[in-house]
Amino acid sequence: MNFNYLDIIIIVIYVAFIFFAGAIVKKYIKGIDDYLVAGRSMGFNLGLISLMCTEIGMITYVYYAELGYKAGLSALMVAVPPVVALLFLGKTGFVIKKLMEMKIMTVPEYFSKRYSKGVRFYIGILMAVGGILNFGVFPGVEAKFINIVTGIPEQHLLYTMVILLTVVLLYTLVGGMVSVIVTNYVQYVLLSFGMVAITVLGFYAIGWNGIVDSISTVIGDKGIDPFFPSFIEGEFGLGFLVWQILMWVSLLIGWQAMSARLFASKDAKTGQRIYTWSALMFFARAIIPIFWEIIAFGYYTNLGTASGMNGIDSLPNLIKDTIPHGILGLIFAGLLAASMSTYASYLLSWSSIVSQDIIGTIIKFSTGKELNSKKQLTVSRITMAVVMIFIIWWSLFHKVEGYLYFYLNMTAMLFIPGTLICISLGVYWKKARTLGAYLAITFGAIPPLLYLIFPDEILKYASEIGYGGFIVALIGMLIGSAIQNKYNPKKVTEVA
Amino acid sequence: MGFWEIYWIMNIVFAVVSFTIFSVYVLIKGYGEVKEMLKTLNDKAE
């Protein structure tokens, strides 16, 4: 073990505290609204904390670190697209204002109101598949990270992950979104402390010159200039930026784990403010972990041991090798906090899609009526347990090919292009129709599906596949709507 | 030191400093909101 007794005591106290803090709020849950969107009572600062806790996990550190390892300082360019997307949505309220005013709980609900229940069911399936495949690699990747930092033998890691996930499951199961928000607050204290501490201590261990020298020597000019050899041809050039900005706009509208924060907000104005100010936090969320990896790269290059590591190993090794005991316990608690908060939110988000938009639709279709709030709550809880069992299983047997960052992007891309096109045209274009929605969702899912099936063969075309998904989704919407408007101009059946 | 090096240093310093200051700010303000949210839910439950 790499921990001493002080480190272990800090971690045990943290996990116990989180469990009780999460479980104690059960008394506030009286219906499905309280459970899924905390009774729409979340304020601005709490919303910001909760959103950041959801979107910063150990997995975030790992995939950004992997990019930093492969692309050097140039990888820092990935921090720009989320900032552009958040400022755009926060300032203009594009689409999100309408969604918040509709008082929906999940994104697919919009599809039944604007298109049809069939479209809601279809996008719900794609969202659940994409979201759960995305979520499904978290435990495996994070187990490796924990293994290196703690020194827990690999054969015991499965038990470690199961215990961790069970704690998260238990408090999320009983307290839903209220538990998630309350525990997020405590978790953010440790998470933010850990992020700043690793940066300062790591930088102190190597210095700026050591970083630049090692990148220049090993990666060359393209490790410092993101547009090398040109803005058009560069790995982080025009194509990459267009794809990433489109993807981030779509994620912020259609990624349930993020948009749930909007739906839980007090009002539309609060939701927009949360997105605007999140831009600052999302910038740091990308810059800081990539910078850690660049520090690790320089540190191990100077020691002459970098060749024995890969992009995923060197960051946990840096934490283990440069952080003193006591602070290591606090930082590890911060890492656990980051992960547990992400697990809690993702479990709640994806299971809410399965229970509300898939199971709920099937039940309504077969019985002709909706479940009452209490039964919806029970279905949500059962679904959550099933989702957790699935991701543990998937994590054990699935190996990610290619960049982890691109795998995660592409699983989201299975439904993201269709979601953006259907919602934005649904809001701003009266002629958008159900057939167009079906085609947009289907066409948009094909390019990322190709990437997931043949990652090695088409890795170098990731950017083209990325923005191509949006183009074909738009074409699908235009063709489908045009056909339906021509042969069936009435919209009577599409109103929920 | 070239353009990109200076640009990245500015980005990193800005990210770390703004993240630290903003985190402290939202945690201080957020504490009151946790209490307010629980009070609202409690009133609703009663």
Side-chain angles (χ1 to χ4, degrees):
Chain A
M1 276 287 271
N2 302 324
F3 287 166
N4 66 14
Y5 285 113
L6 179 60
D7 295 325
I8 293 169
I9 289 168
I10 291 170
I11 293 161
V12 170
I13 290 173
Y14 160 72
V15 174
F17 182 74
I18 282 295
F19 175 71
F20 287 112
I24 211 165
V25 300
K26 181 182 182 289
K27 60 183 178 182
Y28 299 111
I29 306 299
K30 299 293 171 199
I32 193 73
D33 254 24
D34 302 333
Y35 191 73
L36 293 184
V37 288
R40 299 187 205 277
S41 57
M42 189 173 68
F44 167 70
N45 294 288
L46 206 48
L48 209 57
I49 289 170
S50 188
L51 181 62
M52 291 318 296
C53 278
T54 301
E55 290 308 316
I56 299 180
M58 228 183 278
I59 188 86
T60 322
Y61 302 150
V62 174
Y63 68 68
Y64 276 135
E66 188 191 31
L67 270 184
Y69 183 87
K70 306 240 165 105
L73 287 165
S74 295
L76 295 169
M77 189 52 80
V78 301
V80 175
V83 173
V84 174
L86 280 159
L87 289 177
F88 168 66
L89 292 177
K91 285 289 172 195
T92 64
F94 175 77
V95 175
I96 58 170
K97 194 175 174 198
K98 174 83 176 169
L99 293 182
M100 285 185 282
E101 285 168 356
M102 289 173 79
K103 302 236 175 255
I104 54 178
M105 285 188 283
T106 67
V107 179
E109 267 185 71
Y110 172 81
F111 288 78
S112 67
K113 294 191 173 173
R114 175 63 178 82
Y115 298 105
S116 71
K117 290 182 181 66
V119 181
R120 174 184 182 172
F121 183 68
Y122 185 40
I123 195 73
I125 288 177
L126 276 182
M127 279 188 179
V129 170
I132 292 168
L133 288 183
N134 180 287
F135 187 22
V137 297
F138 291 14
V141 172
E142 296 187 355
K144 183 88 189 293
F145 195 100
I146 292 173
N147 163 248
I148 295 172
V149 177
T150 60
I152 294 173
E154 275 194 57
Q155 66 267 29
H156 298 148
L157 270 178
L158 175 64
Y159 305 116
T160 314
M161 294 310 292
V162 169
I163 291 168
L164 198 63
L165 278 165
T166 307
V167 171
V168 174
L169 177 74
L170 286 175
Y171 74 69
T172 314
L173 206 65
V174 295
M177 185 59 111
V178 182
S179 283
V180 171
I181 293 172
V182 170
T183 53
N184 277 175
Y185 181 82
V186 183
Q187 287 157 340
Y188 193 77
V189 176
L190 285 163
L191 181 157
S192 50
F193 167 78
M195 284 182 73
V196 176
I198 296 172
T199 311
V200 173
L201 292 169
F203 186 72
Y204 181 71
I206 178 166
W208 183 255
N209 286 338
I211 292 169
V212 175
D213 290 347
S214 56
I215 289 172
S216 301
T217 311
V218 181
I219 305 179
D221 285 345
K222 73 170 189 173
I224 294 173
D225 177 359
F227 303 145
F228 183 85
S230 71
F231 183 53
I232 305 293
E233 294 171 83
E235 199 175 357
F236 297 96
L238 182 65
F240 179 82
L241 290 174
V242 169
W243 164 38
Q244 289 283 305
I245 289 171
L246 279 172
M247 190 189 76
W248 273 99
V249 169
S250 319
L251 284 174
L252 292 163
I253 293 170
W255 189 253
Q256 179 66 20
M258 289 198 216
S259 45
R261 294 316 180 274
L262 291 177
F263 306 149
S265 303
K266 279 179 183 169
D267 48 44
K269 203 176 159 194
T270 305
Q272 280 184 244
R273 271 185 77 207
I274 290 172
Y275 267 18
T276 304
W277 282 97
S278 297
L280 196 65
M281 309 296 248
F282 270 77
F283 185 69
R285 167 188 182 265
I287 295 276
I288 292 175
I290 292 173
F291 184 54
W292 294 344
E293 183 63 29
I294 293 166
I295 292 171
F297 187 84
Y299 185 79
Y300 292 109
T301 302
N302 287 353
L303 287 178
T305 54
S307 58
M309 295 180 188
N310 59 38
I312 292 177
D313 291 349
S314 47
L315 176 58
N317 272 299
L318 180 82
I319 294 171
K320 180 192 74 176
D321 293 342
T322 59
I323 310 285
H325 285 295
I327 296 180
L328 183 62
L330 273 176
I331 285 180
F332 188 71
L335 292 168
L336 284 184
S339 276
M340 289 169 78
S341 55
T342 306
Y343 284 140
S345 291
Y346 275 45
L347 269 178
L348 189 66
S349 301
W350 301 124
S351 59
S352 68
I353 297 272
V354 174
S355 62
Q356 297 287 303
D357 303 307
I358 300 177
I359 299 174
T361 307
I362 293 171
I363 289 173
K364 193 170 180 190
F365 180 76
S366 52
T367 64
K369 52 186 178 181
E370 283 187 13
L371 290 176
N372 63 32
S373 183
K374 205 174 172 185
K375 282 184 180 160
Q376 282 185 48
L377 211 54
T378 309
V379 172
S380 287
R381 285 173 167 154
I382 294 168
T383 312
M384 201 179 289
V386 173
V387 168
M388 194 199 89
I389 292 165
F390 175 81
I391 66 153
I392 291 175
W393 174 80
W394 180 258
S395 198
L396 281 176
F397 295 104
H398 181 72
K399 190 176 177 302
V400 176
E401 304 287 345
Y403 283 89
L404 178 62
Y405 183 73
F406 285 160
Y407 169 84
L408 294 173
N409 280 186
M410 291 301 175
T411 48
M413 287 286 293
L414 281 174
F415 62 87
I416 278 300
T419 304
L420 178 69
I421 297 298
C422 290
I423 298 182
S424 53
L425 291 185
V427 170
Y428 298 113
W429 189 45
K430 285 181 182 168
K431 291 183 176 176
R433 303 295 301 275
T434 301
L435 181 61
Y438 276 119
L439 292 186
I441 295 165
T442 309
F443 287 8
I446 294 170
L449 198 61
L450 289 175
Y451 179 92
L452 291 170
I453 297 170
F454 309 107
D456 294 332
E457 289 81 354
I458 52 178
L459 176 64
K460 61 182 174 181
Y461 302 113
S463 296
E464 288 78 3
I465 288 171
Y467 63 75
F470 291 93
I471 295 171
V472 293
L474 178 62
I475 293 171
M477 171 57 86
L478 296 177
I479 292 174
S481 298
I483 294 172
Q484 196 172 353
N485 282 324
K486 185 172 171 58
Y487 294 103
N488 182 17
K490 288 183 184 175
K491 294 180 67 183
V492 178
T493 55
E494 291 176 36
V495 179
Chain B
M1 216 182 256
F3 166 78
W4 283 111
E5 242 183 273
I6 296 168
Y7 177 76
W8 294 134
I9 290 175
M10 286 167 61
N11 271 255
I12 292 162
V13 171
F14 176 72
V16 176
V17 172
S18 60
F19 177 76
T20 310
I21 295 170
F22 203 50
S23 294
V24 172
Y25 176 82
V26 293
L27 281 169
I28 293 168
K29 290 277 189 179
Y31 182 69
E33 288 181 14
V34 174
K35 289 200 293 188
E36 194 190 331
M37 182 185 81
L38 294 179
K39 188 175 176 298
T40 308
L41 288 167
N42 195 36
D43 292 347
K44 206 173 116 188
E46 284 168 357

